[in-house]
Amino acid sequence: MGQKVMESEGHEVTFGGEMLLEANPASSHRIRMRRGRLPMKGGRPRFCVPMRPVPPMEAVEWLLMECAYFRDDLCSSCPSIETAYTAQVQAKQEHARALLAAHPQLQWLDPVTSAEAGFRNKAKLVVGGSAKNPTLGIVDYRTGASTDLGECPLYMEPIQAAIPVLHELIQRADLTPYDIPNRRGELKNILVTASAAGELMVRFVLRSKKLLVPIRRQMDWLQERLPNLAVLSVNLLREPVARVEGDEEIILSERQTLPMQVNDLTLHLRPQSFFQTNTKVAEAMYAQGREWVREVAPRSLWDLYCGVGGFALHAASVMDGGSVTGIEISAEAVASAQRTVAEYGLEGVDFSAQDAPEFAVSSGMVPQMLVVNPPRRGIGESLCAWIEGSGIDRVVYSSCNAVTLAKDLERMPSYAPVQGRVLDMFPHTDHYEVMVLLQRQ
């Protein structure tokens, strides 16, 4: 429960005499606040989430984004949450520019910013406490102490609405949380993903199949309470290891994929498929990649580390009959991409579950254009060496770790980044996505 706040618009927003938001009085731009309820903590708002002001952002002197979990030292996942958002983005731009300072010809495009709250499409909820009094959030792996993060302001609204229902489900079905220090119990994590349309995928990560029957018995109740539930599954993580999920998945629902609307495409997400956690910023990322492909107009393109096919499928839409090949180590992600290909009836677009560097080095073929979107470790020495000797004219490198991007560029001296863009996929943290268009010199 919280204090009701009526929608307001003006140069300032106050609560109980305390200034929450203030815009530059000399500016004609104003700040609007959503109608709703502010969760309370100690007699004051737990967090205050403003709507995006009308650009330019410089019109706003400061915005308050407060999180009680951070303030009370309960969660440190967002170390920059008390830093003005414009300053966060500027710091990320400066960090990327500094790492790539050896390339003075690099033209930096305007950064892609994110909503400051309600942007996260996935919740990785560690289950703690007891079946009668569960917590969904984080757990100290040494002591077993748990913190419930059910009111985290980063989650999309459908996820926020689902968390109380999942609390109740644990109680109704008597699902015993896993005790990490003592290695007892069954329910380890609950993974919730939301689409832009508001549909949900809910996955219960269990130690064994012991709770499978109790969960099945509650499916009708859960579907009634969550009518937007599209995919329900159980994942088995039998070993006592520091992983979010295991390799074995049991899908309980009739539907097996969660449709994710991204720009003008509907991508499919199976339970073990990776998808970017910020859908709006992912849209901008794929759109930027598509624009670079449009400018080059290649007849063939490879998308390495393709996931569910975001870059490959966007590229195919502007290639006018060229061939597109997506390579991804996850068979589940490849199955998701193949379903999208089938639904759209795309020709010349193929996906294969293989190791990306191994495929490139051993294929004996070279595409006209290449897209790489590796994990944080980067593409590594072997793939860098192959690209360096390939003769490919243009490469799109999308990185979630600018440090490894810079190292990989050092291994490919024949390529120079000509355009770059910072995309704030992870607000309130030091992490960000950066894309560069490489041209062979």
Side-chain angles (χ1 to χ4, degrees):
M1 295 296 294
Q3 287 288 328
K4 188 174 183 180
V5 177
M6 301 302 293
E7 185 177 30
S8 59
E9 180 171 355
H11 284 113
E12 62 185 47
V13 178
T14 61
F15 178 88
E18 178 184 2
M19 181 76 73
L20 293 183
L21 299 172
E22 183 178 15
N24 187 338
S27 169
S28 62
H29 301 295
R30 295 173 178 243
I31 298 173
R32 298 178 63 232
M33 174 180 273
R34 290 187 181 93
R35 181 189 304 271
R37 288 182 176 273
L38 293 179
M40 302 297 291
K41 180 75 173 182
R44 64 194 305 267
R46 183 185 289 273
F47 55 82
C48 178
V49 184
M51 293 179 69
R52 300 289 296 176
V54 178
M57 284 296 292
E58 289 76 9
V60 180
E61 284 188 351
W62 57 270
L63 299 176
L64 176 67
M65 175 66 185
E66 182 180 317
C67 175
Y69 303 120
F70 180 82
R71 186 187 67 228
D72 297 340
D73 295 324
L74 298 175
C75 177
S76 58
S77 297
C78 299
S80 303
I81 198 165
E82 294 184 345
T83 300
Y85 184 62
T86 51
Q88 293 182 38
V89 175
Q90 182 177 353
K92 294 177 182 184
Q93 286 182 276
E94 292 174 352
H95 184 255
R97 288 174 182 265
L99 287 171
L100 302 183
H103 306 279
Q105 76 290 341
L106 174 55
Q107 174 196 3
W108 286 97
L109 305 177
D110 291 339
V112 174
T113 57
S114 169
E116 297 167 57
F119 62 84
R120 190 172 178 87
N121 60 28
K122 186 172 184 177
K124 300 177 181 179
L125 304 168
V126 184
V127 185
S130 64
K132 292 184 178 180
N133 188 26
T135 62
L136 297 177
I138 55 178
V139 172
D140 187 315
Y141 287 87
R142 296 166 298 177
T143 65
S146 59
T147 300
D148 192 279
L149 299 180
E151 295 179 348
C152 174
L154 303 190
Y155 297 140
M156 291 175 59
E157 190 279 331
I159 295 178
Q160 294 181 3
I163 290 176
V165 178
L166 297 174
H167 270 277
E168 188 176 352
L169 174 69
I170 293 172
Q171 296 168 331
R172 284 176 58 92
D174 195 26
L175 306 180
T176 308
Y178 182 66
D179 182 336
I180 296 174
N182 297 308
R183 299 184 179 180
R184 295 195 300 262
E186 291 292 325
L187 179 57
K188 294 185 174 183
N189 307 309
I190 300 180
L191 311 179
V192 187
T193 303
S195 71
E199 290 192 309
L200 294 173
M201 175 189 293
V202 176
R203 304 168 61 206
F204 294 91
V205 181
L206 305 179
R207 183 186 186 188
S208 71
K209 294 183 179 181
K210 183 177 179 180
L211 297 182
L212 186 56
V213 171
I215 291 174
R216 284 186 185 274
R217 287 174 178 164
Q218 299 296 326
M219 284 181 61
D220 289 343
W221 177 87
L222 184 60
Q223 190 71 68
E224 181 179 345
R225 294 295 304 276
L226 295 177
N228 54 340
L229 178 62
V231 181
L232 180 68
S233 72
V234 162
N235 177 276
L236 297 179
L237 179 58
R238 302 176 188 273
E239 303 81 8
V241 293
R243 292 175 56 189
V244 176
E245 60 186 87
D247 297 326
E248 185 178 352
E249 196 88 18
I250 303 171
I251 298 180
L252 304 179
S253 56
E254 182 177 348
R255 293 171 59 180
Q256 299 192 5
T257 66
L258 179 67
M260 302 291 284
Q261 185 68 32
V262 182
N263 296 316
D264 52 355
L265 290 173
T266 299
L267 307 181
H268 283 276
L269 189 65
R270 291 178 64 85
Q272 293 186 355
S273 303
F274 170 79
F275 192 81
Q276 300 286 352
T277 60
N278 191 323
T279 304
K280 284 296 182 183
V281 177
E283 286 185 333
M285 181 180 73
Y286 294 135
Q288 181 63 70
R290 177 168 58 187
E291 182 57 31
W292 282 337
V293 172
R294 188 198 310 272
E295 293 172 1
V296 176
R299 295 298 301 167
S300 60
L301 178 142
W302 289 358
D303 178 6
L304 303 184
Y305 310 96
C306 69
V308 296
F311 278 116
L313 292 163
H314 279 78
S317 68
V318 296
M319 284 181 57
D320 193 24
S323 67
V324 176
T325 300
I327 302 298
E328 165 62 44
I329 193 68
S330 167
E332 285 287 282
V334 167
S336 300
Q338 289 171 335
R339 173 163 179 179
T340 303
V341 170
E343 281 195 357
Y344 282 95
L346 300 176
E347 296 183 359
V349 182
D350 297 298
F351 291 92
S352 180
Q354 300 184 51
D355 177 76
E358 183 178 320
F359 168 82
V361 171
S362 63
S363 68
M365 299 179 291
V366 176
Q368 288 186 1
M369 190 171 185
L370 179 68
V371 177
V372 293
N373 185 23
R376 290 187 59 78
R377 65 177 180 273
I379 63 176
E381 292 185 16
S382 64
L383 187 50
C384 282
W386 179 84
I387 295 173
E388 177 68 14
S390 67
I392 298 172
D393 185 58
R394 304 288 179 90
V395 178
V396 175
Y397 192 135
S398 183
S399 169
C400 58
N401 185 352
V403 173
T404 55
L405 166 63
K407 291 180 180 178
D408 285 340
L409 292 182
E410 291 176 359
R411 298 181 177 123
M412 300 183 291
S414 296
Y415 289 88
V418 293
Q419 284 192 324
R421 195 169 198 183
V422 168
L423 302 98
D424 192 18
M425 192 77 71
F426 317 100
H428 316 307
T429 74
D430 295 332
H431 301 297
Y432 58 92
E433 193 87 11
V434 59
M435 297 178 68
V436 290
L437 175 63
L438 308 179
Q439 183 171 352
R440 192 171 184 86
Q441 303 301 296

